[in-house]
């Protein structure tokens, strides 16, 4: 199954929802699902090391108004 999680701060701020998304994504990827994390581009991806290797990570540019 192909699964995508989209959250702008997943790789930058390790708070509650960001930890949850990474945990669920890792669990699904370890079970063989095709997982992609879509997140906002940031200066230093703090939690990137927490993501298992077979998860695709796509950073998108965003601005604040």
């Amino acid at each position: 199954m192909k699964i995508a999680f989209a959250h702008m701060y997943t790789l930058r701020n390790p708070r509650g929802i960001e930890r949850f998304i990474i945990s669920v994504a890792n669990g699904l990827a370890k079970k063989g699902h095709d997982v992609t994390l879509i997140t906002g581009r940031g200066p230093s991806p703090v939690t990137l090391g927490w993501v298992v290797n077979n998860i695709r990570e796509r950073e998108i540019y965003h601005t604040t108004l």
Side-chain angles (χ1 to χ4, degrees):
M1 178 185 318
K2 290 185 178 184
I3 302 166
F5 292 95
H7 186 269
M8 293 309 290
Y9 304 105
T10 300
L11 299 179
R12 290 191 283 167
N13 298 327
R15 298 173 296 184
I17 189 65
E18 292 82 7
R19 290 174 186 264
F20 176 76
I21 290 171
I22 292 171
S23 179
V24 171
N26 285 343
L28 291 169
K30 288 177 183 177
K31 289 187 179 276
H33 296 286
D34 184 8
V35 180
T36 302
L37 289 176
I38 303 167
T39 186
R41 182 173 297 153
S44 59
V46 175
T47 57
L48 187 58
W50 302 358
V51 178
V52 295
N53 291 335
N54 57 338
I55 293 179
R56 280 190 304 281
E57 178 265 325
R58 300 290 185 250
E59 292 184 11
I60 59 173
Y61 179 76
H62 70 38
T63 60
T64 56
L65 299 175

